[in-house]
């Protein structure tokens, strides 16, 4: 005689992957590190690109809002510079001691029985330093970063033939609200769909079974359009495109208990040693 329930199928967990942004997601905006990043970007624009100081603030904000990163925006409007030099100037001088180890988040990540991947617009050196300072360097299967998504290191390749000249900052200072159609950036990054699709392919991610954590509402909404389940970190307000809103990344277990309940028989996922910082393989 068959025991009751013997032929019942074990239900498949709703989520098979957690996809995390880094800056202002794995650590709070209140840490102050992002303020230092913005300061360094503005200094780079003034010192290295010769942009008038009075124009930098508005341009920096507009480029970030439209292109996802100021770097991507600067390249789109015609500025040429070495990517490594930019990252060294912006991230290489950061006071990483502003970040402290986070044993609470470490415990959460190590004990949730789902694979975990980092997806950041920053360069691999910055991502590695942040994860190390937080004590999370062995909590992720891999890190998808700037170098993963962008084949060229130099930043001197043409944007395209029609956009060879740098835009007049005075004329375009109020974009993207002045009706001007802006050029596409050669930099692949969030919030653009190409970046997400490339990340999905690299990490073999099924967006319909993935939870995406990010502090940027634009990134969140892009991810939602592509099928991701979304968690807006740093806000308690659910808006269009947001499935869950967390004031703090520490609230994962309270907001998403199903991550632990989905498969009680699963062994906890553990990762040890160095994380795999993914870089593109060229033919």
């Amino acid at each position: 005689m068959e025991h009751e329930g013997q032929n019942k199928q074990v239900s498949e967990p709703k989520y098979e992957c957690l996809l995390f942004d880094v800056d202002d997601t794995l650590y709070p905006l209140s840490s102050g590190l992002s303020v230092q990043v913005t300061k360094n970007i503005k200094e780079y624009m003034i010192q290295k690109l010769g942009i008038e100081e009075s124009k930098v603030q508005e341009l920096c904000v507009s480029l970030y809002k439209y292109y996802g990163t100021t770097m991507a925006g600067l390249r789109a409007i015609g500025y040429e510079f070495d990517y490594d030099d930019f990252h060294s100037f912006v991230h290489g001088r950061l006071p990483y001691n502003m970040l402290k180890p986070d044993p609470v988040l470490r415990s959460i990540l190590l004990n949730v029985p789902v694979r975990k991947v980092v997806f950041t617009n920053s360069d691999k050196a910055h991502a590695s330093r942040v994860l190390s300072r937080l004590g999370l360097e062995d909590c992720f299967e891999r890190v998808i970063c700037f170098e993963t998504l962008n084949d060229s290191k130099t930043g001197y390749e043409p944007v395209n033939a029609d956009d060879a000249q740098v835009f007049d900052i005075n004329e375009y200072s109020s974009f993207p609200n002045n009706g001007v159609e802006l050029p596409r950036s050669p930099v692949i990054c969030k919030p653009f769909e190409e970046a997400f699709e490339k990340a999905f392919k690299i990490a073999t991610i099924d967006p319909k079974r993935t939870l995406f954590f990010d502090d940027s509402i634009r990134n969140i909404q892009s991810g939602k359009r592509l099928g991701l389940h979304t968690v807006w970190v740093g806000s308690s307000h659910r808006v269009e495109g947001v499935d869950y809103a967390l004031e703090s990344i520490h609230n994962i277990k309270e907001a998403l208990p199903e991550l632990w309940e989905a498969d009680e028989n699963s062994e906890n996922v553990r990762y040890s040693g160095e994380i795999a910082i993914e870089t593109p393989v060229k033919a």
Side-chain angles (χ1 to χ4, degrees):
M1 178 183 293
E2 292 182 347
H3 292 288
E4 184 179 354
Q6 183 175 336
N7 292 329
K8 288 183 178 179
Q9 294 184 346
V10 177
S11 61
E12 195 173 55
K14 182 177 181 180
Y15 305 113
E16 65 177 16
C17 181
L18 306 183
L19 190 62
F20 291 89
D21 178 46
V22 172
D23 294 305
D24 300 330
T25 298
L26 294 180
Y27 63 85
L29 178 64
S30 60
S31 70
L33 194 67
S34 292
V35 173
Q36 295 298 316
V37 170
T38 301
K39 176 177 177 291
N40 290 348
I41 290 174
K42 291 176 180 177
E43 289 182 4
Y44 187 89
M45 293 168 70
I46 295 167
Q47 297 178 24
K48 296 296 190 84
L49 302 182
I51 298 174
E52 187 179 334
E53 185 171 357
S54 63
K55 305 292 183 182
V56 163
Q57 172 64 26
E58 184 179 5
L59 184 63
C60 188
V61 171
S62 296
L63 290 173
Y64 175 79
K65 286 183 177 179
Y66 189 82
Y67 287 103
T69 70
T70 306
M71 171 202 264
L74 288 168
R75 287 288 292 116
I77 63 174
Y79 285 95
E80 296 182 349
F81 49 85
D82 184 88
Y83 292 151
D84 288 343
D85 181 61
F86 180 92
H87 286 136
S88 177
F89 191 99
V90 171
H91 292 148
R93 306 181 302 156
L94 288 175
Y96 286 101
N97 60 355
M98 297 177 77
L99 300 178
K100 306 301 180 185
D102 191 339
V104 173
L105 180 55
R106 176 179 173 80
S107 177
I108 291 171
L109 293 174
L110 288 178
N111 284 284
V112 62
V114 183
R115 64 188 289 244
K116 294 163 284 288
V117 175
V118 162
F119 179 28
T120 176
N121 283 336
S122 72
D123 60 293
K124 62 183 178 180
H126 174 71
S128 294
R129 290 186 188 117
V130 170
L131 293 177
S132 178
R133 286 295 305 177
L134 295 174
L136 308 177
E137 63 271 26
D138 58 347
C139 294
F140 299 94
E141 177 183 299
R142 67 176 68 197
V143 172
I144 298 171
C145 58
F146 176 86
E147 288 88 344
T148 317
L149 302 179
N150 296 275
D151 293 333
S152 173
K153 291 179 62 179
T154 66
Y156 289 112
E157 73 282 5
V159 177
N160 63 54
D162 295 329
D163 303 315
Q165 300 299 318
V166 174
F167 276 38
D168 183 340
I169 299 301
N170 293 310
E171 183 178 354
Y172 293 95
S173 61
S174 61
F175 75 83
N177 299 315
N178 60 358
V180 176
E181 183 177 351
L182 294 174
R184 178 176 176 175
S185 177
V187 174
I188 299 173
C189 63
K190 296 179 290 184
F192 298 104
E193 293 185 3
E194 181 182 6
F196 283 90
E197 290 168 348
K198 196 168 183 179
F200 297 161
K201 184 177 181 179
I202 290 168
T204 316
I205 289 172
D206 177 357
K208 294 181 180 179
R209 297 188 63 200
T210 299
L211 264 174
F212 173 50
F213 298 77
D214 203 300
D215 66 292
S216 165
I217 187 59
R218 192 165 179 217
N219 293 348
I220 286 290
Q221 291 172 340
S222 291
K224 186 63 178 176
R225 287 195 298 272
L226 292 171
L228 288 166
H229 301 268
T230 58
V231 184
W232 190 18
V233 180
S235 174
S236 59
H237 303 291
R238 285 183 58 189
V239 296
E240 183 181 356
V242 175
D243 293 315
Y244 302 91
L246 304 182
E247 282 281 5
S248 167
I249 195 72
H250 290 167
N251 298 337
I252 293 177
K253 198 161 189 176
E254 291 77 9
L256 294 153
E258 62 266 34
L259 290 175
W260 284 263
E261 298 167 357
D263 186 358
E264 294 179 355
N265 295 322
S266 293
E267 292 184 357
N268 290 344
V269 177
R270 294 289 190 274
Y271 300 105
S272 59
E274 294 184 357
I275 55 178
I277 305 289
E278 295 292 324
T279 53
V281 177
K282 295 182 180 180

